[in-house]
């Protein structure tokens, strides 16, 4: 499953929709707040800002020093909440230790919470309300499954990982009426994980452990979605490492009917869904002010 290609098609559509909103006098705007100087976070944030600009949205990055206080960060979030030009707000995780992520995330106006982490949006997603902002990675996985016409109704789906960012929202989306999967969620305390994955029609790996899912854990013909992004040592590469998913790709592709690569699978879809959420937020702000 080619997430890179699907994300590129989505960006083309989004660019057209952004132009349409501009004709109505609104440029969708995303503000990303980066606290500290974690190098991985800096890369994610600059990718997000670049993606915004590519589709004609306003992408702003607010950089704050590592010793920022909670009051300072909250003051920035409040300012963004109040700004008419900002439709989406994203505070990049992880935050430095002195900042409580739950306090900060709850401060973001749910109508601008394009990451979908505010409890209001989490609740709306769980009960299937259409106006929920859904976290971008699980929503990107759903878009891939739809694009490749993966039969989810009645399918056994096994998710490996139960984080609030990936595993749990993935579970909520897959069990919704209309998607209709039967879902098992595995985690680090799961016994005999292979007994679960071997029965799965769809395996979604989101554990952050390179090579956790081996070829013999996949049922022949199953669909495999690899969310994991792991750095593995690779002396032959210039950087000394390469990116790998949680799935042993070469072995799993021999048995799976469809599989996502890493990179080029779920990663690009995550950013596309963030743009999509920002566009939705901008649209709703127009509707509300009409
Ligand atoms: P996380 O918060 O660290 O959660 C990992 C989950 O995997 C936890 O629930 C953990 O179980 C479970 N787990 C860890 N080791 C396991 C094992 N050996 N067997 C079974 N379960 C195991 O990570 P996350 O934020 O969900 O991210 C997961 C992966 O996806 C990471 O590699 C991350 O980089 C990647 N990711 C990719 C994208 C993208 O755009 N493609 C977006 C977000 C994340 P416990 O709960 O029991 O500890």
């Amino acid at each position: 499953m080619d997430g890179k290609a699907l994300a590129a098609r989505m960006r083309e559509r989004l660019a057209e929709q952004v132009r349409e909103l501009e004709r109505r006098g609104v440029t969708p705007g995303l503000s990303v707040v980066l606290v500290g100087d974690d190098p991985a976070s800096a890369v994610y944030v600059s990718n997000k800002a670049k993606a915004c600009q590519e589709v004609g949205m306003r992408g702003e990055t607010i950089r704050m020093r590592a010793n920022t206080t909670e009051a300072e960060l909250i003051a920035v979030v409040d300012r963004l909440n109040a700004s008419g030009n900002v439709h989406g707000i994203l505070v990049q995780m992880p935050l430095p230790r002195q900042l409580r992520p739950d306090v900060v995330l709850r401060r973001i106006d749910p109508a601008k919470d394009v990451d979908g982490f505010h409890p209001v949006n989490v609740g709306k997603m769980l009960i299937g309300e259409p106006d929920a902002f859904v976290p971008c990675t699980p929503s990107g996985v759903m878009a891939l499954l739809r694009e490749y016409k993966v039969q989810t109704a009645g399918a056994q789906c096994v998710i490996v990982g139960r984080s609030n960012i990936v595993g749990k929202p993935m579970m909520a989306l897959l069990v919704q009426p209309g998607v209709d999967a039967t879902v098992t969620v595995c985690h680090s305390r799961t016994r005999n994980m292979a007994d679960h994955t071997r029965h799965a029609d769809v395996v979604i790996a989101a554990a952050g452990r390179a090579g956790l899912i081996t070829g013999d854990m996949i049922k022949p013909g199953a669909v495999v979605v690899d969310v994991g992004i792991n750095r593995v040592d690779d002396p032959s590469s210039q950087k000394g490492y390469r990116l790998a998913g949680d799935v042993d790709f070469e072995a799993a592709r021999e048995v799976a009917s469809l599989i996502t690569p890493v990179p080029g699978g779920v990663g690009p879809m995550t950013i596309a869904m963030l743009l999509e959420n920002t566009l939705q937020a901008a649209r709703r702000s127009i509707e509300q002010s009409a």
Side-chain angles (χ1 to χ4, degrees):
M1 285 182 277
D2 188 345
K4 200 172 162 194
L6 176 57
R9 289 199 293 280
M10 282 186 63
R11 282 201 302 273
E12 270 173 35
R13 265 203 313 272
L14 280 161
E16 178 51 42
Q17 289 164 334
V18 169
R19 284 194 286 276
E20 210 175 288
L21 283 192
E22 275 189 325
R23 287 194 281 274
R24 294 161 69 183
V26 173
T27 305
L30 172 69
S31 292
V32 180
V33 184
L34 174 65
V35 188
D37 34 33
D38 177 59
S41 294
V43 172
Y44 294 147
V45 163
S46 78
N47 286 345
K48 287 167 188 173
K50 215 166 66 196
C52 278
Q53 283 145 18
E54 268 171 30
V55 298
M57 293 184 182
R58 250 178 325 91
E60 171 195 36
T61 305
I62 299 170
R63 291 169 210 278
M64 302 182 76
R65 50 181 214 288
N67 64 353
T68 296
T69 65
E70 207 165 83
E72 286 169 331
L73 178 55
I74 280 176
V76 167
V77 170
D78 285 349
R79 177 170 64 73
L80 298 173
N81 280 340
S83 165
N85 295 325
V86 175
H87 304 102
I89 303 170
L90 184 160
V91 178
Q92 183 65 41
M93 299 290 150
L95 288 172
R97 257 210 222 137
Q98 74 278 15
L99 305 171
R100 291 168 294 176
D102 51 337
V103 171
V104 175
L105 292 176
R106 278 170 171 75
R107 193 76 177 199
I108 297 172
D109 178 351
K112 297 189 177 188
D113 168 40
V114 286
D115 248 347
F117 295 158
H118 190 291
V120 166
N121 282 314
V122 176
K124 282 184 173 182
M125 175 189 59
L126 194 61
I127 61 177
E129 284 201 12
D131 70 337
F133 283 118
V134 174
C136 304
T137 300
S139 139
V141 172
M142 294 306 294
L144 270 172
L145 295 178
R146 279 194 301 272
E147 176 72 13
Y148 284 86
K149 301 195 168 38
V150 173
Q151 175 79 29
T152 51
Q156 295 281 351
C157 292
V158 171
I159 302 166
V160 181
R162 56 172 166 184
S163 72
N164 290 334
I165 297 171
V166 189
K168 280 189 210 160
M170 202 66 252
M171 167 189 78
L173 295 174
L174 285 167
V175 294
Q176 290 303 323
V179 182
D180 298 320
T182 302
V183 182
T184 302
V185 181
C186 299
H187 45 78
S188 66
R189 306 296 302 273
T190 298
R191 260 182 278 130
N192 305 325
M193 195 167 63
D195 288 351
H196 298 284
T197 59
R198 276 191 199 116
H199 290 105
D201 303 302
V202 180
V203 175
I204 298 176
R209 300 279 182 277
L212 178 67
I213 310 294
T214 50
D216 62 344
M217 292 168 75
I218 305 294
K219 180 169 90 171
V223 173
V224 178
V225 179
D226 193 351
V227 180
I229 302 179
N230 309 292
R231 277 186 183 194
V232 295
D233 291 340
D234 182 356
S236 72
S237 94
Q238 230 179 22
K239 293 178 180 158
Y241 68 87
R242 65 187 166 82
L243 294 183
D246 291 350
V247 178
D248 177 349
F249 182 80
E250 292 307 327
R253 77 189 302 187
E254 298 293 322
V255 268
S257 60
L258 286 168
I259 184 167
T260 58
V262 178
V266 177
M269 291 303 296
T270 297
I271 295 197
M273 300 322 285
L274 175 67
L275 300 176
E276 177 80 49
N277 280 354
T278 305
L279 182 87
Q280 287 303 334
R283 277 214 182 108
R284 283 181 209 156
S285 81
I286 299 177
E287 282 159 19
Q288 267 179 359
S289 58

PDB file of all heavy atoms in Angstrom, residues 37-55:
ATOM      1  N   ASP A  37      14.575  21.483  22.014  1.00  0.00           N
ATOM      2  CA  ASP A  37      15.347  21.268  20.786  1.00  0.00           C
ATOM      3  C   ASP A  37      15.568  19.790  20.487  1.00  0.00           C
ATOM      4  O   ASP A  37      16.614  19.383  20.001  1.00  0.00           O
ATOM      5  CB  ASP A  37      16.682  22.027  20.871  1.00  0.00           C
ATOM      6  CG  ASP A  37      17.214  22.046  22.286  1.00  0.00           C
ATOM      7  OD1 ASP A  37      16.966  21.039  23.001  1.00  0.00           O
ATOM      8  OD2 ASP A  37      17.842  23.045  22.700  1.00  0.00           O
ATOM      9  N   ASP A  38      14.545  18.971  20.780  1.00  0.00           N
ATOM     10  CA  ASP A  38      14.625  17.551  20.417  1.00  0.00           C
ATOM     11  C   ASP A  38      14.756  17.445  18.892  1.00  0.00           C
ATOM     12  O   ASP A  38      13.902  17.955  18.158  1.00  0.00           O
ATOM     13  CB  ASP A  38      13.341  16.851  20.908  1.00  0.00           C
ATOM     14  CG  ASP A  38      13.317  15.397  20.504  1.00  0.00           C
ATOM     15  OD1 ASP A  38      14.226  14.663  20.893  1.00  0.00           O
ATOM     16  OD2 ASP A  38      12.384  14.998  19.772  1.00  0.00           O
ATOM     17  N   PRO A  39      15.842  16.820  18.401  1.00  0.00           N
ATOM     18  CA  PRO A  39      16.079  16.841  16.946  1.00  0.00           C
ATOM     19  C   PRO A  39      14.979  16.142  16.147  1.00  0.00           C
ATOM     20  O   PRO A  39      14.593  16.624  15.078  1.00  0.00           O
ATOM     21  CB  PRO A  39      17.426  16.130  16.782  1.00  0.00           C
ATOM     22  CG  PRO A  39      17.797  15.567  18.110  1.00  0.00           C
ATOM     23  CD  PRO A  39      16.919  16.155  19.153  1.00  0.00           C
ATOM     24  N   ALA A  40      14.446  15.025  16.658  1.00  0.00           N
ATOM     25  CA  ALA A  40      13.385  14.322  15.911  1.00  0.00           C
ATOM     26  C   ALA A  40      12.153  15.216  15.811  1.00  0.00           C
ATOM     27  O   ALA A  40      11.542  15.349  14.742  1.00  0.00           O
ATOM     28  CB  ALA A  40      13.043  13.003  16.588  1.00  0.00           C
ATOM     29  N   SER A  41      11.795  15.873  16.930  1.00  0.00           N
ATOM     30  CA  SER A  41      10.629  16.759  16.919  1.00  0.00           C
ATOM     31  C   SER A  41      10.829  17.908  15.937  1.00  0.00           C
ATOM     32  O   SER A  41       9.899  18.306  15.235  1.00  0.00           O
ATOM     33  CB  SER A  41      10.377  17.348  18.307  1.00  0.00           C
ATOM     34  OG  SER A  41      10.012  16.331  19.208  1.00  0.00           O
ATOM     35  N   ALA A  42      12.055  18.426  15.888  1.00  0.00           N
ATOM     36  CA  ALA A  42      12.332  19.548  14.979  1.00  0.00           C
ATOM     37  C   ALA A  42      12.098  19.120  13.532  1.00  0.00           C
ATOM     38  O   ALA A  42      11.538  19.882  12.731  1.00  0.00           O
ATOM     39  CB  ALA A  42      13.766  20.032  15.173  1.00  0.00           C
ATOM     40  N   VAL A  43      12.468  17.881  13.204  1.00  0.00           N
ATOM     41  CA  VAL A  43      12.251  17.384  11.840  1.00  0.00           C
ATOM     42  C   VAL A  43      10.749  17.251  11.563  1.00  0.00           C
ATOM     43  O   VAL A  43      10.239  17.704  10.537  1.00  0.00           O
ATOM     44  CB  VAL A  43      12.959  16.018  11.631  1.00  0.00           C
ATOM     45  CG1 VAL A  43      12.588  15.403  10.298  1.00  0.00           C
ATOM     46  CG2 VAL A  43      14.470  16.177  11.743  1.00  0.00           C
ATOM     47  N   TYR A  44      10.013  16.659  12.514  1.00  0.00           N
ATOM     48  CA  TYR A  44       8.560  16.492  12.317  1.00  0.00           C
ATOM     49  C   TYR A  44       7.891  17.841  12.101  1.00  0.00           C
ATOM     50  O   TYR A  44       7.073  18.010  11.202  1.00  0.00           O
ATOM     51  CB  TYR A  44       7.914  15.832  13.552  1.00  0.00           C
ATOM     52  CG  TYR A  44       8.350  14.414  13.804  1.00  0.00           C
ATOM     53  CD1 TYR A  44       8.455  13.924  15.102  1.00  0.00           C
ATOM     54  CD2 TYR A  44       8.646  13.549  12.761  1.00  0.00           C
ATOM     55  CE1 TYR A  44       8.863  12.620  15.357  1.00  0.00           C
ATOM     56  CE2 TYR A  44       9.054  12.247  13.000  1.00  0.00           C
ATOM     57  CZ  TYR A  44       9.166  11.786  14.301  1.00  0.00           C
ATOM     58  OH  TYR A  44       9.567  10.502  14.545  1.00  0.00           O
ATOM     59  N   VAL A  45       8.286  18.816  12.943  1.00  0.00           N
ATOM     60  CA  VAL A  45       7.644  20.125  12.883  1.00  0.00           C
ATOM     61  C   VAL A  45       7.939  20.816  11.549  1.00  0.00           C
ATOM     62  O   VAL A  45       7.040  21.392  10.931  1.00  0.00           O
ATOM     63  CB  VAL A  45       8.129  20.984  14.092  1.00  0.00           C
ATOM     64  CG1 VAL A  45       7.840  22.445  13.883  1.00  0.00           C
ATOM     65  CG2 VAL A  45       7.461  20.483  15.365  1.00  0.00           C
ATOM     66  N   SER A  46       9.182  20.703  11.089  1.00  0.00           N
ATOM     67  CA  SER A  46       9.474  21.398   9.831  1.00  0.00           C
ATOM     68  C   SER A  46       8.780  20.688   8.664  1.00  0.00           C
ATOM     69  O   SER A  46       8.333  21.334   7.724  1.00  0.00           O
ATOM     70  CB  SER A  46      10.975  21.570   9.616  1.00  0.00           C
ATOM     71  OG  SER A  46      11.523  20.372   9.169  1.00  0.00           O
ATOM     72  N   ASN A  47       8.614  19.361   8.753  1.00  0.00           N
ATOM     73  CA  ASN A  47       7.856  18.658   7.708  1.00  0.00           C
ATOM     74  C   ASN A  47       6.399  19.113   7.665  1.00  0.00           C
ATOM     75  O   ASN A  47       5.804  19.252   6.598  1.00  0.00           O
ATOM     76  CB  ASN A  47       7.881  17.143   7.947  1.00  0.00           C
ATOM     77  CG  ASN A  47       9.230  16.564   7.611  1.00  0.00           C
ATOM     78  OD1 ASN A  47      10.052  17.204   6.962  1.00  0.00           O
ATOM     79  ND2 ASN A  47       9.475  15.340   8.075  1.00  0.00           N
ATOM     80  N   LYS A  48       5.853  19.354   8.838  1.00  0.00           N
ATOM     81  CA  LYS A  48       4.445  19.766   8.907  1.00  0.00           C
ATOM     82  C   LYS A  48       4.271  21.161   8.314  1.00  0.00           C
ATOM     83  O   LYS A  48       3.352  21.411   7.537  1.00  0.00           O
ATOM     84  CB  LYS A  48       3.954  19.730  10.363  1.00  0.00           C
ATOM     85  CG  LYS A  48       3.759  18.309  10.861  1.00  0.00           C
ATOM     86  CD  LYS A  48       3.578  18.232  12.367  1.00  0.00           C
ATOM     87  CE  LYS A  48       3.581  16.763  12.823  1.00  0.00           C
ATOM     88  NZ  LYS A  48       3.567  16.592  14.271  1.00  0.00           N
ATOM     89  N   ALA A  49       5.192  22.070   8.677  1.00  0.00           N
ATOM     90  CA  ALA A  49       5.095  23.436   8.160  1.00  0.00           C
ATOM     91  C   ALA A  49       5.266  23.440   6.642  1.00  0.00           C
ATOM     92  O   ALA A  49       4.540  24.124   5.920  1.00  0.00           O
ATOM     93  CB  ALA A  49       6.145  24.314   8.830  1.00  0.00           C
ATOM     94  N   LYS A  50       6.214  22.625   6.162  1.00  0.00           N
ATOM     95  CA  LYS A  50       6.470  22.549   4.718  1.00  0.00           C
ATOM     96  C   LYS A  50       5.231  22.020   3.985  1.00  0.00           C
ATOM     97  O   LYS A  50       4.827  22.551   2.949  1.00  0.00           O
ATOM     98  CB  LYS A  50       7.665  21.616   4.472  1.00  0.00           C
ATOM     99  CG  LYS A  50       8.516  22.055   3.317  1.00  0.00           C
ATOM    100  CD  LYS A  50       9.854  21.353   3.275  1.00  0.00           C
ATOM    101  CE  LYS A  50       9.709  19.865   3.014  1.00  0.00           C
ATOM    102  NZ  LYS A  50      10.896  19.078   3.312  1.00  0.00           N
ATOM    103  N   ALA A  51       4.611  20.988   4.567  1.00  0.00           N
ATOM    104  CA  ALA A  51       3.427  20.391   3.935  1.00  0.00           C
ATOM    105  C   ALA A  51       2.303  21.416   3.837  1.00  0.00           C
ATOM    106  O   ALA A  51       1.588  21.481   2.826  1.00  0.00           O
ATOM    107  CB  ALA A  51       2.972  19.167   4.732  1.00  0.00           C
ATOM    108  N   CYS A  52       2.148  22.241   4.871  1.00  0.00           N
ATOM    109  CA  CYS A  52       1.117  23.291   4.853  1.00  0.00           C
ATOM    110  C   CYS A  52       1.357  24.225   3.688  1.00  0.00           C
ATOM    111  O   CYS A  52       0.450  24.537   2.907  1.00  0.00           O
ATOM    112  CB  CYS A  52       1.197  24.139   6.125  1.00  0.00           C
ATOM    113  SG  CYS A  52       0.370  23.414   7.507  1.00  0.00           S
ATOM    114  N   GLN A  53       2.597  24.681   3.584  1.00  0.00           N
ATOM    115  CA  GLN A  53       2.907  25.647   2.535  1.00  0.00           C
ATOM    116  C   GLN A  53       2.688  25.046   1.154  1.00  0.00           C
ATOM    117  O   GLN A  53       2.208  25.715   0.252  1.00  0.00           O
ATOM    118  CB  GLN A  53       4.334  26.162   2.710  1.00  0.00           C
ATOM    119  CG  GLN A  53       4.395  27.184   3.852  1.00  0.00           C
ATOM    120  CD  GLN A  53       5.690  27.124   4.641  1.00  0.00           C
ATOM    121  OE1 GLN A  53       6.674  26.575   4.166  1.00  0.00           O
ATOM    122  NE2 GLN A  53       5.685  27.684   5.843  1.00  0.00           N
ATOM    123  N   GLU A  54       2.991  23.772   0.998  1.00  0.00           N
ATOM    124  CA  GLU A  54       2.821  23.125  -0.305  1.00  0.00           C
ATOM    125  C   GLU A  54       1.381  23.146  -0.791  1.00  0.00           C
ATOM    126  O   GLU A  54       1.135  23.176  -1.978  1.00  0.00           O
ATOM    127  CB  GLU A  54       3.284  21.663  -0.209  1.00  0.00           C
ATOM    128  CG  GLU A  54       4.739  21.490  -0.584  1.00  0.00           C
ATOM    129  CD  GLU A  54       5.221  20.080  -0.276  1.00  0.00           C
ATOM    130  OE1 GLU A  54       4.398  19.130  -0.337  1.00  0.00           O
ATOM    131  OE2 GLU A  54       6.398  19.953   0.060  1.00  0.00           O
ATOM    132  N   VAL A  55       0.432  23.091   0.136  1.00  0.00           N
ATOM    133  CA  VAL A  55      -0.970  23.110  -0.308  1.00  0.00           C
ATOM    134  C   VAL A  55      -1.581  24.503  -0.183  1.00  0.00           C
ATOM    135  O   VAL A  55      -2.786  24.675  -0.359  1.00  0.00           O
ATOM    136  CB  VAL A  55      -1.846  22.071   0.450  1.00  0.00           C
ATOM    137  CG1 VAL A  55      -1.352  20.664   0.196  1.00  0.00           C
ATOM    138  CG2 VAL A  55      -1.909  22.359   1.946  1.00  0.00           C
TER     139      VAL A  55
END
